Amino acid sequence: GAGVSQSPSNKVTEKGKDVELRCDPISGHTALYWYRQSLGQGLEFLIYFQGNSAPDKSGLPSDRFSAERTGGSVSTLTIQRTQQEDSAVYLCASSLGTGTVGGYTFGSGTRLTVV
Amino acid sequence: KQEVTQIPAALSVPEGENLVLNCSFTDSAIYNLQWFRQDPGKGLTSLLLIQSSQREQTSGRLNASLDKSSGRSTLYIAASQPGDSATYLCAVRPTGGSYIPTFGRGTSLIVHP
C-alpha cells in the first residue's frame, strides 16, 4: 500500500483478555518495527523484523507479548492476559531493508485501553 | 549504546518567531537522521531525512542540519504558526547491529496566536 496501515485504530479491552494488533507495511519494505508509547512518554522499542531473518525481540517487556510476520508482509502483535499498564499507543513502522539509506514510515497507531 | 537527547523538552512561543530545535546523539556511526512530527494521539509524520553524507535538508519553512562528527542536528522552523504546534522527534539510524533506530524524547512545541 501507499502507507503503513494499522488496525484497529482504537481498542478497549477488559483486563485479562488477549488482543491482536495488526500492521500492514509499505509494499516492498522488508524491515518492520513495533514501538509502544505510553501517555507522555517516548517511544519504547518492542520488536524488529527484517526479511526472513529471526526477529529481534529484545524490547518485548514480558512473555505476554509476541509478534509474528507472515509472508514477509503483514505483522500481528499479540498481547495475552492484558494488564492496565499495557494501555498505550502501539506504533508500527516500516523501512527498506538493512544497508540502505532510507527512512522510516509510521502508521497512525493503535490506541489500546485496558479497563 | 546510542543515546539521543533533544533540547528543549518543551517550548512555547508567539506566532511568527523563528525556532531552533536541537538533537544530539552519542554515536556518530549513523546512516541517517530523521525528523518527525507527532500530533497528540497520532502517529509520526516524517518531516525531513538527512543522510550521513549530507549537511542539510530543506522543506518549505523547515530546515534541518546535520553535523555528524559532533553528533548534532538542528531543526529550524521559520515564521512559526499555530499549526506547527506538535511534538517534534528526531531518530538516528545506526550503520550496524540490528539497525534499530534510536529516538529522542521529543520537543513539545506550542505556538500561540
Side-chain angles (χ1 to χ4, degrees):
Chain A
V4 177
S5 178
Q6 291 190 246
S7 62
S9 56
N10 283 285
K11 176 71 176 179
V12 180
T13 189
E14 293 180 351
K15 178 181 174 181
K17 299 281 190 182
D18 298 352
V19 295
E20 286 189 351
L21 312 180
R22 175 188 168 104
C23 173
D24 197 346
I26 290 175
S27 178
H29 279 194
T30 58
L32 187 148
Y33 311 80
W34 282 98
Y35 286 84
R36 176 170 72 173
Q37 188 176 36
S38 301
L39 187 63
Q41 302 299 309
L43 272 72
E44 176 187 5
F45 165 73
L46 297 177
I47 189 169
Y48 159 66
F49 294 90
Q50 170 54 47
N52 295 321
S53 302
D56 182 330
K57 305 179 182 180
S58 60
L60 294 179
S62 77
D63 59 7
R64 296 186 296 105
F65 288 73
S66 63
E68 63 177 19
R69 189 179 184 190
T70 54
S73 181
V74 173
S75 176
T76 302
L77 177 68
T78 301
I79 308 173
Q80 296 178 310
R81 305 180 302 282
T82 52
Q83 303 295 313
Q84 288 186 327
E85 60 263 29
D86 299 334
S87 296
V89 176
Y90 289 81
L91 294 165
C92 174
S94 70
S95 71
L96 293 171
T98 58
T100 74
V101 294
Y104 306 96
T105 302
F106 278 80
S108 298
T110 294
R111 178 177 295 280
L112 175 66
T113 304
V114 182
V115 298
Chain B
K1 178 186 175 184
Q2 177 77 272
E3 293 183 3
V4 179
T5 303
Q6 291 189 245
I7 295 173
L11 189 59
S12 180
V13 300
E15 181 177 7
E17 279 204 5
N18 299 323
L19 309 172
V20 175
L21 308 182
N22 297 291
C23 171
S24 62
F25 47 96
T26 55
D27 186 347
S28 62
I30 65 170
Y31 267 127
N32 56 48
L33 184 145
Q34 194 166 1
W35 282 93
F36 295 89
R37 168 188 173 134
Q38 185 177 32
D39 293 288
K42 304 293 184 182
L44 279 65
T45 300
S46 180
L47 297 174
L48 290 165
L49 173 67
I50 311 177
Q51 306 301 341
S52 61
S53 59
Q54 297 176 321
R55 297 286 291 182
E56 66 179 86
Q57 283 287 326
T58 298
S59 175
R61 294 182 294 107
L62 305 179
N63 176 279
S65 67
L66 175 64
D67 185 342
K68 196 176 76 163
S69 61
S70 66
R72 293 180 182 178
S73 176
T74 61
L75 178 66
Y76 177 82
I77 303 175
S80 58
Q81 302 171 357
D84 296 330
S85 299
T87 297
Y88 292 80
L89 298 101
C90 66
V92 295
R93 180 173 186 151
T95 57
S98 58
Y99 302 96
I100 297 169
T102 302
F103 284 82
R105 293 290 299 272
T107 293
S108 178
L109 172 66
I110 297 175
V111 181
H112 47 87

